[in-house]
Amino acid sequence: MATRILVVEDEPKVSAFIRRGLEEEGFEVEVAYDGPFGVRLALGHAFDLLILDVILPGLSGLEVLKAVRAQDQEMPILMLTALGTTQDKLLGFDGGADDYLVKPFDFVELLARVRALTRRRNRGEAKGNQLNLADLTVDTAAKTVTRAGQAIKLTAREFNLLELLIRHQGRVLSRGEIAEHTWEEAFDAGSNVIDVYVNYLRNKVDKGFGKKLIHTVVGMGYVLREE
């Protein structure tokens, strides 16, 4: 089955250039020319990669990114834009982008990044639904957690929190990001509920094991990583 790619790009010449080049390499390509249609396509169909401009009609690329990531944490997303400052890139990566390429670009470089991102996704699919860090394993389908072969029982919310952390392992998540992805109801930013649940998780995932995996970054948030 061919790899399916969604390109959200409002400049017809650019989108046609990308589509033609990728289709010549054997990819299946769909194009959306505005943000709202891009969101509908991304969430309504199965794609292996999303290539996303930032400056779009209707919704910006960052808004599209946020909408897609709220429902799909796994699809690789490549930002492709003329906005190339460090701050622009940080906004993209902080929003959940996997890669960032600045216009004007060489198609050869775009193709290399597309292949790298789709290979990474295929490797993940080959491993099934298991997410791993050190001796910690989270099975997102079976909703089970083990550490060093020992089963760990979590509540639904604890599991969702751990899944979020392990999907973003190595990246510091702010309390706001954790709340946005884990708490569906209205969240009181002044409460300490995030800290309480992180402590619950620590007591189950880290306590009694030699290596601590859940770390606090003072003033910034929490991260799951080996140290």
Side-chain angles (χ1 to χ4, degrees), residues 64-76:
V64 173
L65 176 64
K66 181 178 180 179
V68 172
R69 279 293 178 247
Q71 297 190 43
D72 187 339
Q73 293 288 326
E74 297 184 6
M75 179 169 58

Side-chain angles (χ1 to χ4, degrees), residues 78-207:
L78 168 63
M79 306 300 289
L80 183 63
T81 173
L83 302 177
T85 69
T86 300
Q87 183 60 32
D88 291 324
K89 293 177 182 179
L90 287 174
L91 287 172
F93 286 122
D94 287 346
D98 298 281
D99 202 351
Y100 200 105
L101 183 60
V102 178
K103 299 175 183 176
F105 60 92
D106 252 341
F107 180 76
V108 172
E109 182 177 4
L110 172 65
L111 181 61
R113 296 190 185 211
V114 165
R115 284 175 170 162
L117 288 170
T118 53
R119 277 200 304 268
R120 190 183 311 165
R121 177 177 176 85
N122 291 336
R123 282 199 301 268
E125 289 175 348
K127 294 177 182 176
N129 301 290
Q130 290 190 350
L131 302 170
N132 301 284
L133 177 65
D135 56 355
L136 175 67
T137 299
V138 177
D139 190 314
T140 59
K143 303 296 183 186
T144 58
V145 177
T146 60
R147 180 143 190 210
Q150 177 180 326
I152 297 174
K153 291 184 178 180
L154 299 180
T155 66
R157 179 148 288 168
E158 289 167 352
F159 183 89
N160 290 341
L161 175 55
L162 181 59
E163 181 180 354
L164 178 67
L165 289 170
I166 199 168
R167 284 192 185 279
H168 295 85
Q169 57 186 270
R171 179 185 157 204
V172 179
L173 297 175
S174 69
R175 289 168 177 80
E177 288 177 296
I178 293 172
E180 180 181 348
H181 289 89
T182 312
W183 269 255
E184 295 179 358
E185 66 270 18
F187 177 74
D188 180 3
S191 78
N192 68 340
V193 67
I194 300 292
D195 309 275
V196 169
Y197 270 88
V198 169
N199 283 331
Y200 288 161
L201 205 53
R202 276 191 171 123
N203 285 333
K204 294 182 178 181
V205 171
D206 276 347
K207 190 174 181 180

Side-chain angles (χ1 to χ4, degrees), residues 165 198 201-202 205-206 212-216 222-224:
L165 289 170
V198 169
L201 205 53
R202 276 191 171 123
V205 171
D206 276 347
K212 305 305 179 188
L213 299 178
I214 302 172
H215 304 276
T216 303
Y222 297 100
V223 60
L224 190 75

